[in-house]
Amino acid sequence: MTLIADLRAAVGDDQVLNEGDLSAWELDWRRRYRGRALAVVRPADTAQVAAVVRACVQHGTSLVPQGGNTSLVGGSVPDDSGTQVLLSLSRLANIRAIDTDNLTITVDAGCVLQQVQQVAASHDLLYPLSLAAEGSASIGGTLATNAGGTQVLRYGTARELCLGLEVVTASGEIWNGLSGLRKDNTGYDLRDLFIGSEGTLGVITGATLKLYPQPAAIGTAMAAVPTLEAAVQLLTLARTRLSAGLTGFEVMNGQALGLVRTHFPQWPQPLPPSPWTVLLEQSDTESAAHAQGVFESMLEAALHDGCISDAVVAASLEQTAAMWRLREGIPLAQAEEGLNIKHDIALPVSRIAAFVQENDAALSAAWPGIRIVDFGHLGDGNLHYNVQAPVGVLAADFLADHEAAVNERVYEAVRAHGGSISAEHGIGALKRDMLARTQSPVAMQLMRAIKAALDPRGTMNPGRVL
Amino acid sequence: MTLIADLRAAVGDDQVLNEGDLSAWELDWRRRYRGRALAVVRPADTAQVAAVVRACVQHGTSLVPQGGNTSLVGGSVPDDSGTQVLLSLSRLANIRAIDTDNLTITVDAGCVLQQVQQVAASHDLLYPLSLAAEGSASIGGTLATNAGGTQVLRYGTARELCLGLEVVTASGEIWNGLSGLRKDNTGYDLRDLFIGSEGTLGVITGATLKLYPQPAAIGTAMAAVPTLEAAVQLLTLARTRLSAGLTGFEVMNGQALGLVRTHFPQWPQPLPPSPWTVLLEQSDTESAAHAQGVFESMLEAALHDGCISDAVVAASLEQTAAMWRLREGIPLAQAEEGLNIKHDIALPVSRIAAFVQENDAALSAAWPGIRIVDFGHLGDGNLHYNVQAPVGVLAADFLADHEAAVNERVYEAVRAHGGSISAEHGIGALKRDMLARTQSPVAMQLMRAIKAALDPRGTMNPGRVL
């Protein structure tokens, strides 16, 4: 039998697409990667996924798993050879079980993140992973890339929110590692090996996730800070005062909020322009009034210490939403302003201020007039350190001429400060060449040994990560 | 050169012991395992550890890493062949760095847990891992076995408290994965693969650990509950009311506190005997008075709901210490009462009550008169489900005749309820045979492939885990 015939036998004729316009699967979210698939295959359940993998193994064909296709690093679209099978997980979209006493939910990998958030909320519980693409990103994708988002400070990344996995291995067997256990020390940590492996070791088909009680109230505030050092000082104060109640600590530079002001003048900004602005969020177990009181007393102390120059506490849900809209508007405003060079980096919190100061100066000296748009999850040491072309320069030309050199310089500085070149989006195809240059030879050797051991034929998502 | 000569060249003559009484290294904490080492080698730093591993590889000798030797499952003593090198990490005991803005500490693997707690406290910070053996257990050992303890509910296990590792691989190379990053998605998760691998994939020589601000106050309370279902109901209430403020939720059955009453009558018990008693602990960011108020209002609600029958809130540090002494006295009282059969199991919180009810009945029917001593970390689903011989029966005889059958029955029930046979102590030598019977063939195959890939010569701690 041909591969196509075997795939049809595995999932049904209708679910193997190899003609017509397949761009819905072949093009990535940023429209930066366009591949060509041998076929798009849409299995309905885990057993069908396993049958698809076995068919590919038998025919010596490689496959690319795809969830919501929102990783932004080209990890989930086929290459342009036309020889890879695109395995879409979108039909695996069942909520399998919710256990309210154990605070867990077990779901198919193709469930959309927002769907899981909503099911949890309907039981008065919280699945705290939250990110811009949550209306499209799949649970399997968030785990394959160990996604982050805005509540990592309190609840951790996708990895830390996952208790168990179901995976189809590279040989097409099903590993049922679904578990609702908080503690389990029986053998090697297979779960965390598959999490973050971006589909190169196996296909995640299901997961058991942690849930939390919904907080009684959410408090939100914005504070103007003179420097990034002052923002770090405010972070230390907030952590001490609020402990795990501090769920968000986002920083934005003046350039970032300036672009929002330019492109979205209809959105009021509650504070005057400042070198840096912090958005703080807390979850309170008592009441909205209690949350507000805690914020007010903390911000008074911060004013007194001189680490903030001004602040405002949201007094209503509308004000909270307006504050978050400013933060979430930054990438939109950047897109309005034109193409830009994005870096999703992490640094020790204690090194961020020095990194930004040194690197801003170095980049501005090398490329006069460039605009550095800095924002991100300061509480996690995760910055979106983006570079916009100088005013009046055509962005596409600037990127064509300088993107590689800008990346080189930024990543070199990240390495020098003990940072990471991919904080929350993964390696994919985009940063594959960078990986070997930032990881040590020993680390690369260990990773290659693991890949060879678990996927000896190179079936799973070749050309990604390693 | 002989192996001994190579080892001497690596670490110095004085640090290779192969004569005289080596029982300090050859005998495990429970005195259940006694091995015989070819030599005890005590390197001073990571480079010397790497040299020792290379010497063993070259001579085809296997080695057993040892930290504080407190795992209780025979994972860190040599076998009785007299052919294994015992690698003691005790001289790697430096605190390498503390970064208060980044809330991290980087330490040698041989540092004792209590030492790290104390250094953190001297900076007004908290390293929250806390367990009975903390005065002896090494950081490397807590990571190699992914140790748990009493604060997992809030802060997670040793795995979740670790940001980066330094490891000597099975070929004697040094992987520097020390990192103070909260987010880093660059390649496979090597860190979590070495954590919990019990020295079978490499030797952990250093770690970067998460620190937390010290809470403003600790609150402690005890509550009498009629059933284990009621304890789970109280847990749900406490989680909702306190969120991450709830740092401990320990359960003890009547038998457990009864043994404490018998053997330590000088320790006052603040509540009358009850089928089950819960010890609750919270960390408060405001004040001791606030913590007490939160507990009082929650316990009033619980009394009203009928899920508790009585409760007392500690009003002083002395009362807090007295409550914890009762909980920590259980294993001591068990030892006074005589040998017993220990099970360190985990279950979904929602299944614990059913498990205990069914299994208590089944065991009591099979072995009339046995006493089941149940206590543990209910918040993590982790029970120490121990079996004491019937009154009047010689414990050693009972264990010799029935231990295997009791284990068989308990572990079978654990499997049936989706639980784990090793929640926080690991597999070691003790549970190695059980592992293959509780993990699926696919999981075992994945683990064996990883072992073969990372330690192809079988140098590292053979006969443990796999």
Side-chain angles (χ1 to χ4, degrees):
Chain A
M1 292 227 287
T2 66
L3 172 61
I4 296 292
D6 280 340
L7 293 173
R8 288 196 169 128
V11 301
D13 290 357
D14 292 356
Q15 304 299 341
V16 178
L17 316 177
N18 61 343
E19 287 173 353
D21 179 11
L22 302 178
S23 59
W25 295 274
E26 291 174 335
L27 185 64
D28 90 315
W29 193 260
R30 284 174 82 184
R31 305 182 160 270
R32 197 174 170 131
Y33 289 89
R34 176 188 283 281
R36 204 159 57 81
L38 178 68
V40 172
V41 183
R42 295 160 29 97
D45 57 30
T46 303
Q48 289 191 2
V49 173
V52 168
V53 174
R54 286 195 303 269
C56 287
V57 167
Q58 201 186 323
H59 291 273
T61 301
S62 64
L63 60 82
V64 179
Q66 186 179 89
N69 200 14
T70 58
S71 79
L72 311 185
V73 291
S76 55
V77 291
D79 64 23
D80 54 13
S81 67
T83 63
Q84 298 189 308
V85 168
L86 190 291
L87 175 70
S88 166
L89 277 300
S90 62
R91 292 176 69 220
L92 277 77
N94 289 312
I95 304 291
R96 299 194 194 174
I98 184 161
D99 183 339
T100 53
D101 273 341
N102 196 45
L103 293 178
T104 50
I105 188 167
T106 301
V107 304
D108 280 353
C111 287
V112 170
L113 171 51
Q114 201 165 56
Q115 176 193 359
V116 174
Q117 293 168 341
Q118 286 166 353
V119 171
S122 73
H123 288 82
D124 238 355
L125 295 171
L126 174 72
Y127 179 60
L129 193 72
S130 177
L131 39 87
E134 63 197 23
S136 307
S138 72
I139 292 296
T142 61
L143 290 166
T145 60
N146 186 24
T150 55
Q151 302 209 72
V152 172
L153 186 57
R154 159 72 177 93
Y155 299 102
T157 62
R159 178 186 302 288
E160 289 156 287
L161 293 169
C162 179
L163 291 173
L165 286 185
E166 180 187 79
V167 172
V168 171
T169 69
S171 58
E173 292 184 285
I174 299 168
W175 170 53
N176 181 347
L178 293 174
S179 148
L181 302 177
R182 255 72 186 174
K183 285 185 177 173
D184 183 15
N185 284 349
T186 52
Y188 300 153
D189 184 7
L190 300 174
R191 176 190 67 203
D192 283 313
L193 189 56
F194 286 110
I195 294 176
S197 68
E198 303 185 34
T200 64
L201 299 177
V203 186
I204 295 172
T205 53
T208 300
L209 308 171
K210 290 185 197 170
L211 301 176
Y212 290 83
Q214 290 276 2
I218 299 285
T220 318
M222 281 178 95
V225 294
T227 62
L228 207 43
E229 283 91 342
V232 171
Q233 214 183 318
L234 179 63
L235 174 64
T236 299
L237 179 69
R239 285 180 133 152
T240 305
R241 291 285 187 107
L242 301 171
S243 184
L246 184 68
T247 48
F249 195 97
E250 300 284 311
V251 78
M252 303 161 269
N253 73 353
Q255 193 70 254
L257 283 179
L259 286 182
V260 173
R261 193 173 280 112
T262 302
H263 295 285
F264 305 105
Q266 69 277 29
W267 295 349
Q269 299 209 4
L271 292 172
S274 167
W276 294 88
T277 303
V278 175
L279 173 55
L280 300 100
E281 189 182 84
Q282 65 166 315
S283 295
D284 195 280
T285 51
E286 301 185 25
S287 65
H290 185 259
Q292 217 172 322
V294 170
F295 259 162
E296 278 162 8
S297 117
M298 186 196 78
L299 291 167
E300 257 169 52
L303 261 173
H304 185 264
D305 292 353
C307 69
I308 68 174
S309 58
D310 201 354
V312 53
V313 178
S316 66
L317 288 178
E318 289 68 35
Q319 289 182 14
T320 291
M323 287 180 183
W324 275 105
R325 194 170 50 204
L326 294 174
R327 161 66 184 81
E328 282 159 4
I330 297 171
L332 306 175
Q334 280 210 279
E336 291 292 323
E337 186 73 10
L339 286 175
N340 58 84
I341 308 172
K342 295 188 194 297
H343 306 105
D344 165 40
I345 60 177
L347 295 151
V349 171
S350 51
R351 306 296 288 272
I352 285 190
F355 167 86
V356 167
Q357 192 175 15
E358 286 170 32
N359 213 49
D360 281 11
L363 292 186
S364 298
W367 292 279
I370 56 155
R371 293 165 295 165
I372 297 171
V373 179
D374 250 13
F375 62 101
H377 320 298
L378 186 66
D380 318 316
N382 178 194
L383 271 194
H384 299 299
Y385 187 88
N386 297 346
V387 176
Q388 205 100 30
V391 174
V393 173
L394 200 66
D397 291 350
F398 183 80
L399 263 67
D401 292 345
H402 303 293
E403 183 169 12
V406 169
N407 287 343
E408 184 75 17
R409 191 167 305 225
V410 170
Y411 292 143
E412 182 50 44
V414 167
R415 275 200 297 275
H417 285 275
S420 166
I421 61 160
S422 180
E424 58 176 10
H425 287 272
I427 296 297
L430 180 67
K431 296 183 183 172
R432 183 189 170 206
D433 291 343
M434 288 302 302
L435 186 68
R437 291 168 55 198
T438 53
Q439 292 278 2
S440 67
V442 177
M444 292 304 294
Q445 196 180 310
L446 291 168
M447 290 185 202
R448 290 194 182 110
I450 292 166
K451 170 74 175 176
L454 299 194
D455 180 22
R457 296 174 205 85
T459 306
M460 302 304 309
N461 215 4
R464 275 68 181 194
V465 185
L466 292 180
Chain B
M1 290 225 290
T2 65
L3 171 61
I4 295 292
D6 279 340
L7 294 172
R8 289 196 168 128
V11 302
D13 290 357
D14 293 356
Q15 303 299 342
V16 179
L17 316 176
N18 62 343
E19 286 175 351
D21 179 12
L22 301 177
S23 59
W25 296 274
E26 291 175 335
L27 184 64
D28 90 315
W29 192 261
R30 282 173 82 184
R31 306 183 159 268
R32 197 175 170 130
Y33 289 89
R34 174 188 284 281
R36 203 158 58 81
L38 178 68
V40 172
V41 183
R42 297 162 25 101
D45 57 29
T46 303
Q48 289 192 2
V49 173
V52 168
V53 173
R54 287 196 301 271
C56 287
V57 167
Q58 201 187 323
H59 291 273
T61 302
S62 64
L63 60 82
V64 179
Q66 186 178 91
N69 200 13
T70 59
S71 79
L72 311 186
V73 291
S76 55
V77 290
D79 65 23
D80 54 15
S81 67
T83 64
Q84 298 188 307
V85 168
L86 190 290
L87 175 69
S88 166
L89 277 300
S90 61
R91 293 176 67 220
L92 277 77
N94 288 312
I95 303 291
R96 298 194 195 176
I98 184 160
D99 183 339
T100 54
D101 274 340
N102 197 44
L103 292 178
T104 49
I105 188 167
T106 300
V107 304
D108 280 354
C111 287
V112 170
L113 171 50
Q114 199 165 58
Q115 177 192 0
V116 174
Q117 293 167 342
Q118 286 166 353
V119 171
S122 73
H123 288 82
D124 238 355
L125 295 170
L126 174 72
Y127 179 60
L129 192 71
S130 176
L131 40 86
E134 64 197 24
S136 308
S138 72
I139 291 297
T142 61
L143 291 165
T145 59
N146 186 24
T150 56
Q151 302 209 73
V152 172
L153 185 58
R154 159 72 178 92
Y155 298 101
T157 63
R159 177 185 304 289
E160 290 156 286
L161 293 170
C162 178
L163 291 173
L165 285 185
E166 180 188 79
V167 172
V168 171
T169 69
S171 58
E173 291 183 287
I174 298 168
W175 170 53
N176 182 347
L178 293 175
S179 149
L181 302 176
R182 254 73 186 175
K183 285 183 176 176
D184 182 16
N185 284 349
T186 51
Y188 301 152
D189 183 7
L190 300 175
R191 176 190 67 203
D192 284 312
L193 189 57
F194 286 111
I195 294 176
S197 69
E198 304 184 32
T200 64
L201 299 177
V203 185
I204 296 172
T205 52
T208 299
L209 308 171
K210 289 186 197 169
L211 301 177
Y212 290 83
Q214 290 276 2
I218 300 285
T220 317
M222 282 179 95
V225 295
T227 62
L228 207 41
E229 284 92 340
V232 171
Q233 215 183 316
L234 179 64
L235 174 64
T236 300
L237 179 70
R239 284 180 135 152
T240 306
R241 291 284 187 107
L242 302 171
S243 184
L246 184 67
T247 47
F249 195 97
E250 300 283 311
V251 77
M252 303 161 268
N253 72 355
Q255 192 69 252
L257 283 180
L259 285 182
V260 174
R261 194 172 280 111
T262 301
H263 294 286
F264 304 106
Q266 70 277 28
W267 295 350
Q269 299 209 5
L271 292 172
S274 167
W276 294 89
T277 302
V278 174
L279 172 56
L280 300 100
E281 189 183 83
Q282 64 166 315
S283 294
D284 195 279
T285 50
E286 301 184 27
S287 65
H290 185 258
Q292 216 172 324
V294 169
F295 259 162
E296 279 163 5
S297 118
M298 187 197 78
L299 291 167
E300 257 170 48
L303 261 173
H304 185 263
D305 292 353
C307 70
I308 68 174
S309 58
D310 200 353
V312 54
V313 178
S316 67
L317 288 177
E318 289 67 34
Q319 289 182 13
T320 291
M323 287 180 182
W324 275 106
R325 193 171 50 205
L326 293 175
R327 161 65 183 82
E328 283 160 3
I330 297 170
L332 306 176
Q334 279 209 278
E336 292 290 324
E337 186 72 10
L339 286 177
N340 58 85
I341 309 172
K342 294 187 194 300
H343 306 105
D344 165 40
I345 60 178
L347 295 150
V349 172
S350 51
R351 307 296 288 274
I352 285 191
F355 167 86
V356 168
Q357 192 175 20
E358 286 169 34
N359 213 49
D360 281 11
L363 292 186
S364 297
W367 292 280
I370 56 155
R371 293 165 295 166
I372 298 172
V373 179
D374 250 13
F375 62 101
H377 321 297
L378 187 66
D380 317 316
N382 180 193
L383 270 194
H384 299 301
Y385 186 88
N386 296 346
V387 175
Q388 203 101 31
V391 175
V393 174
L394 200 65
D397 291 350
F398 183 80
L399 264 67
D401 292 346
H402 303 293
E403 182 168 15
V406 169
N407 286 344
E408 184 74 18
R409 187 162 314 217
V410 170
Y411 291 143
E412 181 51 44
V414 167
R415 275 200 297 275
H417 285 274
S420 165
I421 61 160
S422 180
E424 58 175 11
H425 287 273
I427 296 297
L430 181 67
K431 296 183 183 173
R432 185 188 168 205
D433 291 342
M434 288 302 302
L435 185 67
R437 292 168 55 197
T438 54
Q439 292 278 3
S440 67
V442 177
M444 291 304 295
Q445 199 179 309
L446 291 167
M447 290 185 202
R448 289 194 182 111
I450 291 165
K451 170 74 175 176
L454 299 194
D455 180 22
R457 296 174 206 85
T459 307
M460 302 302 309
N461 216 3
R464 275 68 183 196
V465 185
L466 293 179

